[in-house]
Amino acid sequence: VHLVESGGGLAKPGESLRLACTTSGFSFNSYSMNWVRQAPGKGLEWISSIAASVGYLYYGASVKGRFTISRDNAKSTVYLQMDSLRAEDTAIYYCAGGWEGGQHFDVWGRGTVVTVSS
Amino acid sequence: QSVVTQPPSASGTPGQRVTISCSGGTSNIGSNPVNWYQHLPGSAPKLLMYADGQRPSGVPDRFSGSRSGTSASLAISGLQSEDEADYYCAAWDDSLNAFLFGPGTTVTV
């Protein structure tokens, strides 16, 4: 099982970044996918989920209206479009997946760092 | 401020038993299964316990979990130095339509 996040980096407040999580080794099409972040010195924060096939999308209050999750089942990849970035979005961003129908995340990536600073 | 709470820290000596509590509300822990994650800084979080008390393959049976009402707990028996990590409980919240993580508990051995 492999999940590899990419697309992190340095952005200025108000700018955009697009994260990708490329996966292999599990049935991506049967997994809900999620983004979870950890700000410096803070705990884990769930920010978004996308269902395996029906297309249900969920967002945490802190990112709703600014971030958009999507997936490409043909590429076994999940994306996070992050717009109107703020300093408080600075964090390690992890992608995580869980079998559709369960409510747990049993596969995780190692994360990509996003820094928002002027 | 998290609506799911955990103690910030817990500690024990090797071989001891440590219990971590996780408290929420009727729309999250009171209605949905609780999952636990182990996280060492710099590495990917790991699913430690799911559906309240189910251990994924490879997780030692020293770890056990339970849920009652709006609270859950994770117990580590036979504490080992490798158990030093941050532990997070998490559950879906039906009112918020969101997953909620607790603030995390740092276990020191």
Side-chain angles (χ1 to χ4, degrees):
Chain A
V1 173
H2 291 282
L3 293 83
V4 179
E5 300 92 338
S6 60
L10 177 63
K12 291 181 169 57
E15 291 187 341
S16 298
L17 282 175
R18 189 192 194 208
L19 305 184
C21 174
T22 304
T23 76
S24 63
F26 65 98
S27 300
F28 182 83
N29 292 6
S30 299
Y31 269 58
S32 294
M33 296 302 296
N34 308 267
W35 289 94
V36 176
R37 69 184 180 185
Q38 183 176 36
K42 304 291 187 181
L44 299 177
E45 177 192 13
W46 168 85
I47 56 173
S48 187
S49 288
I50 183 167
S53 56
V54 183
Y56 291 115
L57 308 177
Y58 298 101
Y59 298 95
S62 61
V63 305
K64 201 166 190 177
R66 300 188 299 123
F67 290 10
T68 303
I69 192 171
S70 61
R71 64 189 293 159
D72 185 336
N73 284 352
K75 295 182 178 179
S76 298
T77 300
V78 60
Y79 304 95
L80 186 69
Q81 177 67 40
M82 304 188 297
D83 298 322
S84 303
L85 283 163
R86 305 167 179 168
E88 54 264 35
D89 295 319
T90 295
I92 302 172
Y93 284 74
Y94 299 97
C95 74
W99 171 74
E100 187 87 330
Q103 292 183 344
H104 53 275
F105 311 155
D106 58 350
V107 293
W108 290 77
R110 295 181 63 89
T112 187
V113 176
V114 171
T115 303
V116 183
S117 173
S118 56
Chain B
Q1 185 175 1
S2 178
V3 296
V4 173
T5 61
Q6 296 178 237
S9 63
S11 64
T13 57
Q16 277 190 330
R17 176 184 171 94
V18 165
T19 302
I20 302 168
S21 61
C22 173
S23 180
T26 54
S27 60
N28 43 73
I29 294 176
S31 304
N32 294 293
V34 173
N35 308 300
W36 292 87
Y37 300 91
Q38 180 189 58
H39 189 209
L40 288 92
S43 64
K46 172 187 172 183
L47 178 67
L48 193 68
M49 197 73 57
Y50 68 96
D52 303 330
Q54 302 300 308
R55 282 187 308 276
S57 174
V59 173
D61 60 7
R62 303 186 291 106
F63 293 90
S64 60
S66 64
R67 176 172 65 112
S68 177
T70 58
S71 295
S73 64
L74 175 74
I76 311 172
S77 60
L79 199 61
Q80 299 181 6
S81 58
E82 67 207 51
D83 299 331
E84 281 204 338
D86 296 323
Y87 293 83
Y88 296 87
C89 61
W92 177 257
D93 189 291
D94 292 332
S95 295
L96 298 174
N97 276 337
F99 281 106
L100 297 180
F101 280 90
T105 298
T106 298
V107 169
T108 304
V109 181

